[in-house]
Amino acid sequence: MKRISLILLTAACLTHAQAAEKIRIVATTTDLADIARAVAGDAAEVSSITTGREDPHTLTAKPSFIVRARDADVWIRVGMELEVGWEPVILRESRNTRIRVGAPHHIDASLNVQRLEVPTQRVTRDLGDVHPEGNPHYWLDPLNGRMIAATLAERLAALYPERKAGFEKNLHAFERDLDTRMFGAALVGQCGGEALWHAAIEKRLDAFLKERGASDKAGGWYAALRPHQGKTIVTYHRSWPYLAERFGLKADVQLEPKPGIPPSAKHLAEVVEDVRARQSRVILQEPFYNTKAAEFVASKTGARVVIAPTMTGGSPEASSYLGMLDNVIAKLSVSL
Ligand SMILES: [Zn+2]
């Protein structure tokens, strides 16, 4: 009896000690938090500022966010000015100098991602909410999800070298999961995830698979959207170009006349013309935008309004980053 209680006591102490040692990670968005959880595993307690159900451009800083930033060991942001309206005030008011921009405990997840729409002309207000470093919605390209995970593993290992092996093991598990969902288990088994991504980056994946006699082995997201290559999806905001680019779709028609500017009657008349000319079948938008404009265009053209989250937690099915991509791609593949 005594022996058992001693063992229980020791176990309780250990659990307590381990819990106290957890790295407190605060990520601005749910996607970064989910990827951070995958990479850090048991070593960290991860939370996010956004819930995935709100527009990440227009969040208001709340006192509770400042408290969390104050207590954070590590801060992770999307960067590229996505959080420009609310991150500066949270970081400043937190007075936590470890996580201020440029400090080692402040991780900008955009560090190694492939960027789209980096402006070549000077950015002025009349262009709308254009981000001078490029389109910040980069996590919708699964390759960038992989890049984010690698950046987090590397930066966390630099900060906590005693946990490096664990972060690397977790990173590889995440990469395997992502690659399998992207290309299917058979293709990853035959070619390896790295080689498939290299071919995809060089925009010669279809040719690569033909060379290997593996075209019919393709599965996952890639196979689900391959029959739809070249089609146009109309979107509310310019949040989808990364997904479109990765899967050979076009997402250059928006209901917003300029980023952050609500749809106008004049602009929607042009969209209707575009939808007819391109025979687009899908108007895609996040759950937090009003559907009136999309329904108007749908009523004039017969296109379907598809509501899908761009962020983890944006709908009940999107309970993880990879689950969110599963959800979006499944909806698109049946609607396109
Ligand atoms: Zn945006």
Side-chain angles (χ1 to χ4, degrees), residues 19 89 100 102 118 140 150 161 268 282 287 334:
V89 62
R100 70 181 170 208
V118 181
L140 286 174
L268 289 182
V282 167
V334 297

Side-chain angles (χ1 to χ4, degrees), residues 69 72-75 91 94 96-101 103 105-106:
D73 297 313
V74 174
W75 178 266
L91 293 184
S94 78
N96 182 349
T97 53
R98 296 167 82 201
I99 60 161
R100 70 181 170 208
V101 178
H105 290 253
H106 177 106

Side-chain angles (χ1 to χ4, degrees), residues 55-57 82 129 131 135-137 237-239 256 259-260 289:
D55 183 346
H57 301 84
L82 181 83
D129 241 344
H131 302 278
N135 185 324
H137 300 272
H237 180 67
R238 288 197 71 83
S239 28
E256 286 182 334
Y289 289 121

Side-chain angles (χ1 to χ4, degrees), residues 250-272:
K250 294 197 181 90
D252 55 332
V253 179
Q254 269 73 51
L255 299 180
E256 286 182 334
K258 288 170 185 171
I261 311 289
S264 62
K266 178 175 170 284
H267 178 69
L268 289 182
E270 289 165 17
V271 172
V272 166

Side-chain angles (χ1 to χ4, degrees), residues 316-333:
E317 306 86 11
S319 58
S320 67
Y321 169 71
L322 297 175
M324 179 270 291
L325 288 173
D326 272 340
N327 184 241
V328 169
I329 290 162
K331 280 183 174 165
L332 278 180
S333 71

Side-chain angles (χ1 to χ4, degrees), residues 87-269:
E87 188 207 29
V89 62
I90 296 174
L91 293 184
R92 190 179 62 240
E93 297 298 316
S94 78
R95 297 171 195 273
N96 182 349
T97 53
R98 296 167 82 201
I99 60 161
R100 70 181 170 208
V101 178
H105 290 253
H106 177 106
I107 304 177
D108 189 316
S110 73
L111 191 66
N112 296 313
V113 301
Q114 292 206 327
R115 297 180 177 203
L116 294 177
E117 299 170 18
V118 181
T120 47
Q121 64 180 119
R122 208 166 67 83
V123 173
T124 54
R125 287 311 296 173
D126 58 299
L127 294 173
D129 241 344
V130 171
H131 302 278
E133 295 172 59
N135 185 324
H137 300 272
Y138 59 81
W139 63 92
L140 286 174
D141 177 352
L143 175 68
N144 283 340
R146 217 175 183 274
M147 300 296 219
I148 295 166
T151 299
L152 296 186
E154 194 187 318
R155 291 290 302 273
L156 288 172
L159 295 172
Y160 305 95
E162 70 285 0
R163 289 166 165 159
K164 186 177 176 185
F167 298 146
E168 280 177 356
K169 185 169 160 265
N170 296 340
L171 171 66
H172 293 139
F174 177 79
E175 287 173 338
R176 256 196 316 280
D177 191 0
L178 185 150
D179 294 353
T180 305
R181 292 189 202 222
M182 175 71 192
F183 302 111
L187 211 52
V188 173
Q190 182 180 331
C191 307
E194 294 278 337
L196 291 165
W197 278 117
H198 275 290
I201 291 165
E202 289 166 2
K203 298 193 189 296
R204 55 180 304 275
L205 187 56
D206 292 335
F208 173 84
L209 296 184
K210 274 194 197 112
E211 284 159 29
R212 303 269 183 124
S215 290
D216 58 337
K217 285 195 184 150
W221 302 328
Y222 168 67
L225 291 181
R226 188 166 57 175
H228 305 295
Q229 284 179 5
K231 292 184 185 174
T232 297
I233 43 171
V234 175
T235 72
Y236 187 97
H237 180 67
R238 288 197 71 83
S239 28
W240 304 90
Y242 286 91
L243 185 93
E245 176 82 12
R246 176 57 54 214
F247 293 98
L249 304 167
K250 294 197 181 90
D252 55 332
V253 179
Q254 269 73 51
L255 299 180
E256 286 182 334
K258 288 170 185 171
I261 311 289
S264 62
K266 178 175 170 284
H267 178 69
L268 289 182

